[in-house]
Amino acid sequence: MAWRGFIVRKLTKTEFIRSGNTTWSRYSLNPYQQQVRCFRREAKTKKSNNEQEMKVLPSENKTPTPPPKISRPSLFKPLLFTLGFTGCSFAAAAVLQYESLRSKVKAAKEESDDLSKGSHDMTYWHNWWNQLTAFQKQLILLMSTVDDLWSSLTEGQRIVTGIIAVNVVVLCCWRIPSMQRNMIKYFTANPVSKTQCLPMVLSTFSHYSIIHMMANMYVLWTFSSGLVSLLGKEQFLAFYLSAGVLASMVSYMCKSATRRFHPSLGASGAVMAVLAAVCTTVPEAKLGIIFLPMVTLSAGHVLKALVAFDTAGLFLGWRLFDHAAHLGGALFGVWYIADGHRLIWRRREPFVKLWHSLRSKATNDPRPGARPGTNRGER
């Protein structure tokens, strides 16, 4: 009976996570398992009183009580958070793009000034290199190699490298037992959770399975370069983060409508938005299947097949993936390329002008007590 007790104890602690913007649940003991454990407890005590044994052993006719029905949560706060986060993301992207262009212009001007003044004497750098130790020289050569590798990447691949690094850190945090409670609270999205809004963003960078993370990051690495070259790195980041939050919001709505409340995690919603945006931009592009390289399909047909698969999974109640989040991300990607870019990004000019005026006012503001007109060269 020892092995049976060991298996029972293992089953009571087993938890599993399904991939995908996935769901998890806990195995529960059935009456037979409960009876086995109580039987072993009675065998050890060797009590002979039948009345006491009947009190300890569970009744075979007793049926488990159904779990309490969960009331439908309010989605008002998540909806406000989605709208506010999306707006702030694109506003921050516009400001970052403005500052990036400003810094590039300033760096180009300084570089031209340095060239006009002449560079340092080569003898100076030769003497400086000879003064370094062997370890310092090896370290500088290693940094130079890493810099060359980084420079060889496209702008989209550099951004995805940062996203992959964040996902790897979160994946490692899932393996720390003391952080499990906080990871479930903040890195899994569930509409019935007390923390509704923040996990909508953090769950986009959260994966429990290594295979799940590798699949998402592979797709993101493959399709990010073309979209970054089209949108720019600042707009791409705003698009990616907004897609993750909107996918979580669609998942919240479907879970609330079907009353199937399960935590979800994963970057699949945001990745689906990137894939849908690329397929909408170039629908005639040929895409291959990684396991079947001889089979190629057009990007438009691949997008339709994915949308049909997730739609079927949503209506049939499949729980392998969070199909609602996938659909939300894909629809957002299609909408942004069709109309969203024109409605949101192309109308950023008034906001950028406002930021420029505030920045110029802050940099040119005269010191307290200074005579008016001194900053303009007036006398």
Side-chain angles (χ1 to χ4, degrees):
M1 298 295 292
W3 62 272
R4 183 179 295 177
F6 175 79
I7 294 176
V8 170
R9 287 194 299 270
K10 286 296 182 182
L11 285 178
T12 58
K13 298 179 181 178
T14 302
E15 291 183 353
F16 68 95
I17 292 185
R18 298 175 181 172
S19 62
N21 275 328
T22 52
T23 62
W24 57 37
S25 62
R26 186 184 295 271
Y27 286 107
S28 59
L29 283 174
N30 56 37
Y32 173 74
Q33 291 172 333
Q34 294 177 1
Q35 189 172 358
V36 169
R37 297 186 70 181
C38 293
F39 177 77
R40 294 184 68 252
R41 190 181 296 112
E42 289 298 312
K44 289 182 179 180
T45 56
K46 296 182 180 180
K47 292 184 179 179
S48 60
N49 192 342
N50 294 332
E51 295 180 357
Q52 293 180 354
E53 290 180 359
M54 294 301 295
K55 291 180 181 179
V56 176
L57 291 175
S59 174
E60 294 181 0
N61 297 327
K62 185 178 179 181
T63 58
T65 58
K69 193 173 183 179
I70 302 177
S71 60
R72 185 170 296 172
S74 173
L75 299 181
F76 182 70
K77 288 175 61 178
L79 179 60
L80 287 182
F81 177 80
T82 301
L83 297 176
F85 182 85
T86 302
C88 292
S89 297
F90 283 98
V95 172
L96 289 175
Q97 188 184 66
Y98 167 83
E99 293 295 336
S100 177
L101 293 174
R102 186 184 180 94
S103 62
K104 288 180 180 179
V105 172
K106 184 177 180 180
K109 184 178 180 181
E110 291 177 352
E111 185 178 357
S112 62
D113 293 340
D114 292 339
L115 291 175
S116 61
K117 293 178 180 178
S119 59
H120 290 281
D121 189 6
M122 292 299 298
T123 306
Y124 168 81
W125 293 110
H126 181 73
N127 295 333
W128 174 81
W129 177 260
N130 291 332
Q131 292 175 359
L132 298 177
T133 62
F135 175 76
Q136 291 175 338
K137 292 180 180 179
Q138 293 294 329
L139 183 60
I140 293 175
L141 291 176
L142 178 62
M143 293 175 60
S144 177
T145 304
V146 173
D147 183 69
D148 292 339
L149 291 175
W150 181 259
S151 301
S152 64
L153 299 177
T154 63
E155 196 170 36
Q157 291 174 342
R158 296 176 192 173
I159 295 176
V160 175
T161 301
I163 295 176
I164 293 175
V166 175
N167 280 270
V168 170
V169 172
V170 176
L171 180 69
C172 294
C173 291
W174 274 109
R175 301 299 185 269
I176 302 176
S178 60
M179 297 185 63
Q180 291 293 311
R181 180 170 297 182
N182 289 329
M183 296 300 294
I184 295 173
K185 181 179 180 181
Y186 294 107
F187 287 87
T188 59
N190 193 350
V192 296
S193 176
K194 293 182 179 180
T195 308
Q196 290 181 319
C197 299
L198 191 59
M200 298 174 71
V201 183
L202 298 181
S203 63
T204 306
F205 300 92
S206 177
H207 297 84
Y208 189 85
S209 170
I210 298 178
I211 297 177
H212 181 205
M213 187 195 71
M214 291 178 63
N216 281 336
M217 295 301 103
Y218 174 78
V219 176
L220 185 61
W221 179 274
T222 304
F223 292 94
S224 62
S225 297
L227 194 59
V228 171
S229 62
L230 177 66
L231 303 179
K233 60 181 181 180
E234 296 85 5
Q235 187 182 180
F236 173 81
L237 283 175
F239 169 81
Y240 182 82
L241 295 175
S242 300
V245 175
L246 284 167
S248 298
M249 185 64 208
V250 175
S251 177
Y252 278 10
M253 295 170 63
C254 291
K255 289 176 183 177
S256 180
T258 58
R259 294 183 180 274
R260 297 174 181 174
F261 303 110
H262 304 286
S264 302
L265 72 166
S268 302
V271 172
M272 280 292 293
V274 174
L275 177 61
V278 174
C279 292
T280 304
T281 305
V282 282
E284 68 281 356
K286 297 298 181 180
L287 302 180
I289 302 175
I290 185 173
F291 300 108
L292 298 172
M294 71 290 298
V295 179
T296 57
L297 299 172
S298 65
H301 290 161
V302 170
L303 179 60
K304 293 176 182 178
L306 292 175
V307 171
F309 172 77
D310 287 316
T311 303
L314 181 63
F315 283 99
L316 296 178
W318 298 344
R319 294 175 58 184
L320 181 62
F321 301 103
D322 192 342
H323 298 282
H326 289 189
L327 285 175
L331 293 178
F332 176 72
V334 174
W335 172 82
Y336 190 80
I337 295 299
D339 294 319
H341 181 268
R342 175 178 55 84
L343 296 175
I344 297 177
W345 190 251
R346 291 184 181 178
R347 297 185 178 182
R348 73 189 187 280
E349 186 176 356
F351 178 78
V352 174
K353 287 183 178 180
L354 176 62
W355 172 258
H356 175 74
S357 62
L358 293 175
R359 194 181 191 284
S360 301
K361 183 178 180 181
T363 54
N364 296 330
D365 192 18
R367 297 187 304 273
R371 186 166 57 88
T374 53
N375 286 339
R376 297 191 301 269
E378 298 178 2
R379 296 184 180 180

